[in-house]
Amino acid sequence: MESRKLNSVDEFNEYRAKILNSHKGDYPVIYVCGGTPCLAKGSRAVAEAFRKEIEAQGLECRVELSLKITGCQGFCSKGPVVSFGDDIVYMEVKPKHVPEIIEKTVKRGEIIEALGYKDPATGKKAATFDGIPFYSHQKQLILGDLRKLDPFEIDDYIARGGYASLDRAFSMDPDAIIDTIEASGLRGRGGGGFPAGRKWRSCRNIETETRYVLCNGDEGDPGAFMDRSIMEGNPHAVIEGMIIGARAVGAHKGYAYIRDEYPLAVEAMKKAVVDATALGILGKNILGSGFDFEVKITRGGGAFVCGESSALMRSVEGKVGEPRAKYIRSVEKGLYEQPTVLNNVETWANVPLIINNGVQWYRQTGTDGSPGTKVFSLAGKVENTGLVEVPMGITIRELVEDIGGGVLGGKRFKAVQTGGPSGGCIPQSKMDLPIDFDSLTDAGSMMGSGGIIVMDEETCMVDVAKYFISFLVEESCGKCAPCRDGLPRMLRILTDITEGKGKEGDIEVLEELCDVLSYGALCGLGTSAPNPVLSTIRYFRDEYEAHIRDKRCPGHVCKSFITYRIDADACTGCTLCAKQCPQKCISGEKKQTHVIDQDKCIKCNVCREVCKFDAVRVE
Amino acid sequence: MAVDTKKVDEIIAGYEKSEESLLAILQDFQREFNYVPEEGMEKLSELFGVPASKIYAMGTFYKALSLEPTGRHTCKVCTGTACHLKGASNVVDVIGRQLKIRPGETTKDMRFTLQTVNCVGACALAPVVVVDDKDYYEGASPQNILKNLKNYK
Ligand SMILES: Cc1cc2nc3c(=O)[nH]c(=O)nc-3n(C[C@H](O)[C@H](O)[C@H](O)COP(=O)(O)O)c2cc1C
Ligand code: SF4
Ligand code: FES
């Protein structure tokens, strides 16, 4: 709709009523997922096919290709995903299905079961959100809107009740807002789980003219994409949260720090700021309340350490993003040395929910110590990869088996990794551990911002530890010695172990180095760096020992310990592997068993990938 | 390599003259020229009154910035956790061997720069290769990617 500045809450409500009226149509909205995996699987062509068919038939109907880079509708592994109105959802939709869908589903509301999700266990199909375990076990307070609105349309957000919490927030005393957030038990979703209300109160209690609120959209975990999905899919929710936070602590300027590698998140957040400002929802005298607040977008420079609060603030100031001594608290002396509240993207997105629905409602979900939901990106060796939101306290088993559909290809489960480079691995024996801040920390991992990676029997836990430590070596800013010197030493030892050069005592040296880091490092990057190592030693010591003593990699991952061999019984002599081998070290006549020349083999796995008969074995 | 100084000025003019804008300007240089040219940094130092050493320090600290020119196409192999588990390092090896470069390097003919990146949010396709930030390939079959790379001139 035409945007003009709204000068009061009444004008805002009128504006909303107008949008709602104009949104009425005879047919349900068609939501074609525009997440990266879905796009890669052809969702753009599907959306085009819908548009053409609708035009050809002269129907008045809205097709949304929600152009986002992530799995906005969540079920990435079954894309392209298309949903209709509130309930119906189809998977793996192709343009050729479109005419039938228009006739049956769009015009008559009929469900085409065949296009639904097929339960691998029962073979039964389901085509509603309620009927598909991947969705029905979730509780989508934050993600629910992602598949229903165009992130670039502020009107869509307002139509779904967006910015409605401002009316209440402006009529509340700032201290009462903080009381509410504190009573809700909201804890920071960026990793540490620090109570948001307490952080806000400390900031408000400092006598000063200038305070800031910041949004941490740096998402440094190398295996996670939920903050990005929220910024790309529902940027206004983050901004609404920031407005409430700013009002509560008395800040008039805010910054959203977003990874530059997320261009769409940057674009969506920028557009959201512009649109909200045009409507008078940001800027001077917001909706006639007398409260001023503006938001600036800062693009991150691609350094993991900039997710750390003090480094992030230096980076916003336009400096090199190095952390500073941790005894200086950023709520007291943060951005430009002023009291500053930094919260994670998802934390901010929770705030309007709490203000709108109240503490009691919010606390119905989750556990006493960790109320609410948590968004995870579920990936790795799991059947259903995607973006999921679950109540806190759900067990790892429910997450992996019910929602994730179990381990990929029916392999045996080994562990889940949570918390990225700052977190750890949790083994099979702890599958019934509830997922909340405290349980995960007790188990030697941490919630982290929400990356969950499933690992199967073909994963090597020493390799996983090495992976995270080598990531951290790259990302360490080098300011403090324990981190700068300790991490490379750990990496050397881990590399030796995986290359067959491990020796007795290595595990103990690793443990010692971990100790030094956790006490001596300057920032959270270094102090939490031991987690991937210690948790794998704690739960998978036998794998370390197998590498060191038996020169064996139980997961068949470490190249020094494995050989590729072609199984004579399974090989049909199709010659495919011999053609594809970059070393040209596979020989054999057509229709005869092929053989790999072990001296030349570089263990690149190509033959195993291309073999259609599963004849290449790794031993 | 000579750089269009008009473009440099244009980018700088788009921003408020404060230290806060430095990173954003450097990022725009990177986007425009595929690297951060010396001319740009000198100009910034002069206009903003910030020591050139400080701007260079930013150029080396932030991973998104490159002080060397990069190729016409970027081939990014995701080495995020999910992709790592599904064999991303093999994908890096295969592509690197074909292009005769290591990650972070550019082919002599300036056609490709090979990079490794963290999660690109498409773990369902893991291991993932992204060319020019827009074309996503399932990396499970590196041979297929090599075939596709031929289409980038
Ligand atoms: C090395 C390091 C990296 C971090 N990266 C992130 C990140 O990517 N996103 C994030 O929200 N918090 C990150 N954090 C946590 C932040 O420092 C901070 O605690 C958080 O943003 C506060 O918001 P919250 O209380 O809402 O979680 C990181 C911390 C460290 C030490
Ligand atoms: S692992 Fe690679 S090098 Fe070895 S035989 Fe297979 S394709 Fe050839
Ligand atoms: S880890 Fe590679 S796309 Fe997520």
Side-chain angles (χ1 to χ4, degrees), chain A residues 419-494:
Chain A
S422 314
C425 294
I426 296 171
Q428 166 107 44
S429 60
K430 296 224 181 268
M431 280 284 265
D432 293 306
L433 193 77
I435 302 180
D436 62 63
F437 290 106
D438 310 314
S439 310
L440 288 177
T441 308
D442 289 345
S445 182
M446 67 182 242
M447 177 77 86
S449 53
I452 294 239
I453 309 278
V454 178
M455 304 181 169
D456 67 0
E457 53 192 322
E458 291 182 358
T459 309
C460 167
M461 302 315 279
V462 186
D463 175 73
V464 167
K466 185 177 92 178
Y467 167 77
F468 284 116
I469 298 302
S470 74
F471 171 84
L472 291 167
V473 166
E474 282 279 306
E475 296 294 339
S476 163
C477 76
K479 197 170 165 180
C480 70
C483 182
R484 184 183 58 231
D485 304 332
L487 285 173
R489 265 200 75 194
M490 282 163 73
L491 180 60
R492 175 107 21 85
I493 297 172
L494 288 165

Coordinates of all heavy atoms in Angstrom, one line a residue, chain A residues 419-494:
Chain A
G419 N 26.3 -26.4 19.0 CA 27.1 -25.3 19.5 C 28.3 -25.0 18.6 O 29.1 -24.1 18.9
G420 N 28.4 -25.7 17.5 CA 29.5 -25.4 16.5 C 30.9 -25.5 17.2 O 31.1 -26.3 18.1
P421 N 31.8 -24.6 16.8 CA 33.2 -24.6 17.3 C 33.2 -24.4 18.8 O 34.3 -24.7 19.4 CB 33.9 -23.5 16.6 CG 32.9 -23.0 15.6 CD 31.6 -23.5 15.9
S422 N 32.2 -23.9 19.4 CA 32.2 -23.6 20.9 C 31.5 -24.8 21.6 O 31.5 -24.8 22.8 CB 31.6 -22.3 21.3 OG 32.0 -21.3 20.4
G423 N 30.9 -25.7 20.9 CA 30.2 -26.7 21.5 C 30.8 -28.1 21.4 O 32.0 -28.2 21.2
G424 N 30.1 -29.1 21.7 CA 30.7 -30.4 21.7 C 29.8 -31.5 21.1 O 28.7 -31.2 20.6
C425 N 30.2 -32.7 21.2 CA 29.5 -33.8 20.7 C 28.8 -34.6 21.8 O 29.4 -34.8 22.9 CB 30.4 -34.8 19.9 SG 31.1 -34.0 18.5
I426 N 27.6 -35.0 21.6 CA 26.8 -35.7 22.6 C 26.5 -37.1 22.0 O 26.0 -37.2 20.9 CB 25.5 -35.0 22.9 CG1 25.9 -33.6 23.5 CG2 24.7 -35.8 23.8 CD1 24.8 -32.7 23.7
P427 N 26.9 -38.1 22.8 CA 26.8 -39.5 22.2 C 25.4 -40.1 22.3 O 24.5 -39.6 23.0 CB 27.8 -40.3 23.1 CG 27.6 -39.6 24.4 CD 27.4 -38.1 24.1
Q428 N 25.3 -41.3 21.7 CA 24.1 -42.1 21.7 C 23.5 -42.3 23.1 O 22.3 -42.2 23.3 CB 24.4 -43.5 21.1 CG 23.4 -44.5 21.3 CD 22.7 -44.9 20.1 OE1 23.3 -45.0 19.0 NE2 21.4 -45.0 20.2
S429 N 24.4 -42.5 24.1 CA 23.9 -42.8 25.4 C 23.2 -41.6 26.0 O 22.5 -41.8 27.0 CB 25.1 -43.2 26.3 OG 26.0 -42.2 26.4
K430 N 23.3 -40.5 25.4 CA 22.6 -39.3 26.0 C 21.5 -38.8 25.1 O 21.1 -37.6 25.1 CB 23.7 -38.2 26.2 CG 24.7 -38.5 27.2 CD 24.9 -37.3 28.2 CE 26.0 -37.6 29.2 NZ 25.6 -38.1 30.4
M431 N 21.0 -39.7 24.3 CA 19.9 -39.3 23.3 C 18.7 -38.8 24.0 O 17.9 -38.1 23.4 CB 19.5 -40.6 22.5 CG 20.4 -40.9 21.4 SD 20.1 -39.8 20.0 CE 18.9 -40.7 19.0
D432 N 18.5 -39.2 25.3 CA 17.3 -38.7 26.0 C 17.5 -37.5 26.8 O 16.7 -37.1 27.6 CB 16.7 -39.9 26.8 CG 16.2 -41.0 25.9 OD1 15.4 -40.6 25.0 OD2 16.6 -42.1 26.0
L433 N 18.6 -36.9 26.6 CA 18.9 -35.6 27.2 C 18.0 -34.5 26.7 O 17.8 -34.4 25.5 CB 20.4 -35.2 26.9 CG 21.0 -34.1 27.6 CD1 21.5 -34.6 29.0 CD2 22.3 -33.6 26.9
P434 N 17.4 -33.7 27.6 CA 16.6 -32.7 27.1 C 17.4 -31.5 26.6 O 18.5 -31.2 27.1 CB 15.8 -32.2 28.3 CG 16.6 -32.7 29.5 CD 17.4 -33.9 29.1
I435 N 17.0 -30.9 25.5 CA 17.7 -29.8 24.9 C 17.3 -28.5 25.6 O 16.3 -28.0 25.3 CB 17.5 -29.7 23.4 CG1 17.8 -31.1 22.7 CG2 18.3 -28.6 22.8 CD1 17.6 -31.1 21.2
D436 N 18.1 -28.1 26.5 CA 18.0 -26.7 27.1 C 19.4 -26.3 27.4 O 20.3 -27.0 27.4 CB 17.0 -26.8 28.3 CG 17.5 -27.6 29.4 OD1 18.6 -27.3 29.9 OD2 16.9 -28.6 29.7
F437 N 19.5 -25.0 27.8 CA 20.8 -24.4 28.0 C 21.6 -25.2 29.0 O 22.8 -25.5 28.8 CB 20.7 -23.0 28.5 CG 20.2 -22.0 27.4 CD1 18.9 -21.6 27.5 CD2 21.0 -21.7 26.4 CE1 18.4 -20.7 26.5 CE2 20.6 -20.8 25.4 CZ 19.3 -20.3 25.4
D438 N 21.0 -25.5 30.1 CA 21.8 -26.1 31.2 C 22.1 -27.6 31.0 O 23.3 -28.0 31.3 CB 21.0 -25.9 32.5 CG 20.5 -24.5 32.7 OD1 21.4 -23.6 32.4 OD2 19.4 -24.2 33.0
S439 N 21.2 -28.4 30.5 CA 21.5 -29.8 30.2 C 22.7 -29.9 29.2 O 23.5 -30.8 29.4 CB 20.3 -30.5 29.7 OG 19.2 -30.3 30.4
L440 N 22.7 -29.1 28.2 CA 23.7 -29.3 27.2 C 25.1 -28.9 27.8 O 26.1 -29.5 27.5 CB 23.4 -28.4 26.0 CG 22.2 -28.9 25.1 CD1 21.9 -28.0 23.9 CD2 22.6 -30.3 24.5
T441 N 25.1 -27.8 28.6 CA 26.3 -27.4 29.2 C 26.8 -28.5 30.1 O 28.0 -28.8 30.1 CB 26.1 -26.1 30.0 OG1 25.5 -25.1 29.1 CG2 27.4 -25.5 30.4
D442 N 25.9 -29.1 30.9 CA 26.3 -30.1 31.8 C 26.9 -31.3 31.1 O 27.8 -32.0 31.5 CB 25.2 -30.7 32.6 CG 24.7 -29.6 33.7 OD1 25.5 -28.7 33.9 OD2 23.6 -29.7 34.2
A443 N 26.5 -31.5 29.8 CA 26.9 -32.7 29.1 C 28.2 -32.3 28.3 O 28.7 -33.2 27.6 CB 25.9 -33.1 28.1
G444 N 28.8 -31.1 28.6 CA 30.0 -30.8 28.0 C 29.9 -30.1 26.6 O 30.9 -29.9 25.9
S445 N 28.7 -29.8 26.2 CA 28.5 -29.1 25.0 C 27.9 -27.8 25.3 O 28.1 -27.3 26.4 CB 27.6 -29.9 24.0 OG 27.5 -29.2 22.8
M446 N 27.3 -27.1 24.4 CA 26.5 -26.0 24.7 C 25.4 -25.8 23.6 O 25.5 -26.4 22.6 CB 27.3 -24.8 24.9 CG 28.0 -24.2 23.7 SD 29.0 -22.8 24.3 CE 28.3 -21.5 23.4
M447 N 24.4 -25.0 24.0 CA 23.4 -24.7 23.0 C 23.9 -24.1 21.8 O 23.5 -24.5 20.7 CB 22.3 -23.8 23.7 CG 21.2 -23.5 22.8 SD 20.0 -24.8 22.6 CE 19.0 -24.5 24.1
G448 N 24.8 -23.2 21.9 CA 25.3 -22.4 20.8 C 24.1 -21.7 20.2 O 23.1 -21.6 20.8
S449 N 24.3 -21.2 19.0 CA 23.2 -20.4 18.4 C 22.2 -21.4 17.8 O 21.1 -20.9 17.4 CB 23.7 -19.4 17.5 OG 24.5 -20.0 16.5
G450 N 22.5 -22.6 17.6 CA 21.4 -23.6 17.1 C 21.8 -24.4 16.0 O 20.9 -24.9 15.3
G451 N 23.0 -24.6 15.7 CA 23.4 -25.6 14.7 C 23.4 -27.0 15.3 O 24.0 -27.2 16.3
I452 N 22.7 -27.9 14.7 CA 22.7 -29.3 15.2 C 23.1 -30.2 14.0 O 22.5 -30.2 13.0 CB 21.3 -29.7 15.6 CG1 20.9 -28.9 16.8 CG2 21.2 -31.2 15.9 CD1 20.6 -29.7 18.1
I453 N 24.2 -30.9 14.3 CA 24.7 -31.7 13.2 C 24.7 -33.2 13.7 O 25.2 -33.5 14.7 CB 26.2 -31.4 12.9 CG1 26.3 -29.9 12.6 CG2 26.7 -32.2 11.7 CD1 25.9 -29.4 11.2
V454 N 24.0 -34.0 12.9 CA 23.9 -35.4 13.2 C 25.1 -36.2 12.6 O 25.5 -36.0 11.5 CB 22.6 -36.0 12.7 CG1 22.5 -37.5 13.0 CG2 21.4 -35.2 13.3
M455 N 25.7 -37.1 13.4 CA 26.8 -37.8 12.9 C 26.5 -39.3 13.0 O 25.9 -39.8 14.0 CB 28.0 -37.5 13.8 CG 28.3 -36.0 13.8 SD 29.7 -35.5 14.7 CE 29.8 -33.8 14.2
D456 N 27.0 -40.1 12.0 CA 26.7 -41.5 12.0 C 27.9 -42.3 12.1 O 29.0 -41.7 12.4 CB 25.9 -41.8 10.7 CG 26.9 -41.7 9.5 OD1 28.0 -41.3 9.6 OD2 26.4 -41.9 8.3
E457 N 27.8 -43.6 12.0 CA 29.0 -44.5 12.2 C 30.1 -44.2 11.3 O 31.3 -44.5 11.6 CB 28.5 -45.9 12.1 CG 27.8 -46.2 10.7 CD 27.1 -47.5 10.7 OE1 27.7 -48.5 11.2 OE2 26.0 -47.6 10.1
E458 N 29.9 -43.5 10.2 CA 31.0 -43.2 9.3 C 31.6 -41.9 9.6 O 32.2 -41.3 8.7 CB 30.4 -43.3 7.8 CG 30.1 -44.7 7.4 CD 29.6 -44.8 6.0 OE1 29.6 -43.8 5.3 OE2 29.4 -45.9 5.6
T459 N 31.4 -41.3 10.7 CA 32.0 -40.1 11.1 C 33.2 -40.4 12.1 O 33.0 -41.3 12.9 CB 31.0 -39.2 11.9 OG1 29.8 -39.1 11.1 CG2 31.6 -37.8 12.1
C460 N 34.3 -39.8 11.9 CA 35.4 -40.0 12.8 C 35.4 -38.8 13.8 O 35.5 -37.7 13.4 CB 36.7 -40.0 12.0 SG 38.2 -39.9 13.1
M461 N 35.4 -39.2 15.1 CA 35.3 -38.1 16.1 C 36.6 -37.3 16.3 O 36.6 -36.2 16.6 CB 34.8 -38.7 17.4 CG 33.5 -39.4 17.4 SD 32.2 -38.5 16.4 CE 31.7 -37.4 17.6
V462 N 37.7 -38.0 16.0 CA 39.0 -37.2 16.0 C 39.0 -36.2 14.9 O 39.4 -35.1 15.0 CB 40.2 -38.2 16.0 CG1 41.5 -37.4 16.2 CG2 40.1 -39.3 17.0
D463 N 38.5 -36.7 13.7 CA 38.5 -35.8 12.6 C 37.5 -34.6 12.9 O 37.8 -33.4 12.5 CB 38.0 -36.6 11.4 CG 37.8 -35.7 10.2 OD1 38.8 -35.3 9.6 OD2 36.6 -35.4 9.8
V464 N 36.4 -34.8 13.6 CA 35.5 -33.7 13.9 C 36.2 -32.7 14.8 O 36.2 -31.5 14.6 CB 34.3 -34.3 14.6 CG1 33.5 -33.2 15.2 CG2 33.4 -35.1 13.6
A465 N 36.9 -33.2 15.8 CA 37.7 -32.3 16.7 C 38.7 -31.5 15.9 O 38.8 -30.3 16.0 CB 38.4 -33.1 17.8
K466 N 39.4 -32.2 15.0 CA 40.4 -31.6 14.2 C 39.8 -30.5 13.3 O 40.3 -29.4 13.1 CB 41.1 -32.6 13.3 CG 42.2 -32.0 12.5 CD 43.0 -33.1 11.7 CE 42.4 -33.3 10.3 NZ 43.0 -34.3 9.5
Y467 N 38.6 -30.8 12.8 CA 37.9 -29.9 11.9 C 37.6 -28.6 12.7 O 37.9 -27.5 12.2 CB 36.6 -30.5 11.4 CG 35.6 -29.5 10.8 CD1 35.8 -29.1 9.5 CD2 34.5 -29.0 11.5 CE1 34.9 -28.1 8.9 CE2 33.7 -28.1 11.0 CZ 33.9 -27.7 9.7 OH 33.0 -26.7 9.1
F468 N 37.1 -28.7 13.9 CA 36.7 -27.4 14.6 C 38.0 -26.7 15.0 O 38.0 -25.5 15.0 CB 35.8 -27.8 15.8 CG 34.4 -28.0 15.4 CD1 33.8 -29.3 15.6 CD2 33.6 -27.0 14.8 CE1 32.5 -29.5 15.2 CE2 32.3 -27.3 14.3 CZ 31.8 -28.5 14.6
I469 N 39.0 -27.4 15.5 CA 40.2 -26.7 15.9 C 40.9 -26.0 14.7 O 41.3 -24.9 14.8 CB 41.2 -27.7 16.6 CG1 40.5 -28.3 17.9 CG2 42.5 -27.0 17.0 CD1 40.1 -27.2 18.9
S470 N 40.8 -26.7 13.5 CA 41.5 -26.0 12.4 C 40.7 -24.7 12.0 O 41.2 -23.7 11.6 CB 41.7 -26.9 11.2 OG 40.5 -27.2 10.6
F471 N 39.4 -24.8 12.2 CA 38.5 -23.7 12.0 C 38.9 -22.5 12.9 O 39.1 -21.4 12.5 CB 37.0 -24.0 12.2 CG 36.1 -22.9 12.2 CD1 35.6 -22.3 11.0 CD2 35.7 -22.3 13.4 CE1 34.8 -21.2 11.0 CE2 34.8 -21.2 13.4 CZ 34.4 -20.7 12.2
L472 N 39.1 -22.9 14.2 CA 39.4 -21.9 15.2 C 40.8 -21.3 15.0 O 41.1 -20.2 15.3 CB 39.2 -22.5 16.6 CG 37.8 -22.8 17.0 CD1 37.7 -23.6 18.2 CD2 37.0 -21.5 17.2
V473 N 41.8 -22.2 14.6 CA 43.1 -21.7 14.3 C 43.0 -20.5 13.3 O 43.6 -19.5 13.4 CB 44.0 -22.8 13.8 CG1 45.3 -22.2 13.2 CG2 44.3 -23.8 14.9
E474 N 42.2 -20.8 12.2 CA 42.0 -19.7 11.2 C 41.4 -18.5 11.8 O 41.8 -17.4 11.4 CB 41.1 -20.3 10.1 CG 41.7 -21.2 9.1 CD 42.4 -20.5 8.1 OE1 41.8 -19.6 7.4 OE2 43.6 -20.8 7.8
E475 N 40.5 -18.7 12.7 CA 39.7 -17.6 13.1 C 40.2 -16.8 14.4 O 39.7 -15.8 14.7 CB 38.2 -18.0 13.4 CG 37.5 -18.5 12.2 CD 37.3 -17.4 11.1 OE1 37.3 -16.2 11.5 OE2 37.1 -17.8 10.0
S476 N 41.2 -17.5 15.0 CA 41.7 -16.8 16.2 C 42.3 -15.5 15.8 O 43.0 -15.4 14.8 CB 42.8 -17.7 16.8 OG 43.6 -16.9 17.7
C477 N 42.0 -14.4 16.6 CA 42.5 -13.1 16.1 C 44.0 -12.9 16.5 O 44.7 -12.0 16.1 CB 41.7 -12.0 16.7 SG 42.0 -11.7 18.4
G478 N 44.5 -13.8 17.4 CA 45.9 -13.8 17.7 C 46.3 -12.8 18.8 O 47.5 -12.6 19.0
K479 N 45.3 -12.3 19.4 CA 45.7 -11.3 20.4 C 46.2 -11.8 21.7 O 47.1 -11.2 22.3 CB 44.4 -10.4 20.7 CG 44.7 -9.1 21.4 CD 43.5 -8.2 21.5 CE 43.7 -7.1 22.5 NZ 42.6 -6.2 22.6
C480 N 45.7 -13.0 22.1 CA 46.2 -13.5 23.4 C 47.0 -14.9 23.1 O 46.6 -15.6 22.2 CB 45.1 -13.7 24.4 SG 44.0 -15.0 24.0
A481 N 48.0 -15.1 23.9 CA 48.9 -16.2 23.7 C 48.3 -17.6 23.8 O 48.5 -18.5 23.0 CB 50.1 -16.1 24.6
P482 N 47.5 -17.9 24.8 CA 46.9 -19.2 24.9 C 46.2 -19.7 23.7 O 46.4 -20.8 23.2 CB 46.0 -19.1 26.1 CG 46.4 -17.9 26.9 CD 47.0 -17.0 25.9
C483 N 45.5 -18.7 23.1 CA 44.7 -19.1 21.9 C 45.6 -19.1 20.7 O 45.6 -20.0 19.9 CB 43.6 -18.0 21.8 SG 42.5 -18.3 20.4
R484 N 46.5 -18.1 20.6 CA 47.3 -18.0 19.4 C 48.3 -19.1 19.3 O 48.5 -19.7 18.2 CB 48.1 -16.6 19.5 CG 49.0 -16.4 18.3 CD 49.8 -15.1 18.4 NE 50.6 -15.1 19.6 CZ 50.7 -14.2 20.6 NH1 49.9 -13.1 20.5 NH2 51.5 -14.4 21.6
D485 N 48.9 -19.5 20.4 CA 49.9 -20.6 20.4 C 49.3 -22.0 20.8 O 49.7 -23.0 20.3 CB 51.0 -20.3 21.4 CG 51.6 -18.9 21.1 OD1 51.6 -18.5 19.9 OD2 52.1 -18.3 22.0
G486 N 48.3 -22.0 21.6 CA 47.7 -23.2 22.1 C 47.0 -24.0 21.0 O 47.1 -25.2 20.8
L487 N 46.1 -23.2 20.2 CA 45.3 -23.9 19.2 C 46.2 -24.6 18.1 O 45.9 -25.7 17.8 CB 44.3 -22.9 18.6 CG 43.1 -22.5 19.5 CD1 42.3 -21.4 18.9 CD2 42.2 -23.7 19.7
P488 N 47.2 -23.9 17.6 CA 48.0 -24.6 16.6 C 48.7 -25.8 17.1 O 48.8 -26.8 16.4 CB 49.0 -23.5 16.2 CG 48.4 -22.2 16.5 CD 47.6 -22.5 17.7
R489 N 49.0 -25.8 18.4 CA 49.6 -27.0 19.0 C 48.6 -28.1 19.1 O 48.9 -29.3 18.8 CB 50.2 -26.7 20.4 CG 51.7 -26.4 20.4 CD 52.3 -26.6 21.8 NE 52.5 -28.0 22.1 CZ 52.8 -28.4 23.3 NH1 52.9 -27.5 24.3 NH2 53.1 -29.6 23.6
M490 N 47.4 -27.8 19.5 CA 46.4 -28.8 19.5 C 46.1 -29.4 18.1 O 46.0 -30.6 17.9 CB 45.1 -28.2 20.1 CG 45.1 -28.1 21.6 SD 43.9 -27.0 22.2 CE 42.4 -27.9 22.0
L491 N 46.1 -28.5 17.1 CA 45.9 -28.9 15.8 C 47.0 -29.9 15.3 O 46.7 -30.9 14.7 CB 45.8 -27.7 14.8 CG 45.5 -28.1 13.4 CD1 44.2 -28.8 13.2 CD2 45.4 -26.8 12.5
R492 N 48.2 -29.5 15.6 CA 49.3 -30.4 15.2 C 49.1 -31.8 15.8 O 49.3 -32.8 15.1 CB 50.7 -29.8 15.7 CG 51.9 -30.6 15.5 CD 52.8 -30.1 14.4 NE 52.6 -28.6 14.1 CZ 53.2 -27.6 14.8 NH1 54.0 -27.9 15.8 NH2 52.9 -26.4 14.4
I493 N 48.8 -31.9 17.1 CA 48.6 -33.2 17.7 C 47.5 -33.9 17.1 O 47.6 -35.1 16.8 CB 48.4 -33.0 19.3 CG1 49.6 -32.4 19.9 CG2 48.1 -34.4 19.9 CD1 49.4 -32.0 21.4
L494 N 46.4 -33.2 16.9 CA 45.2 -33.9 16.3 C 45.5 -34.4 14.9 O 45.1 -35.5 14.5 CB 44.0 -33.0 16.3 CG 43.4 -32.7 17.7 CD1 42.4 -31.5 17.6 CD2 42.6 -33.9 18.1

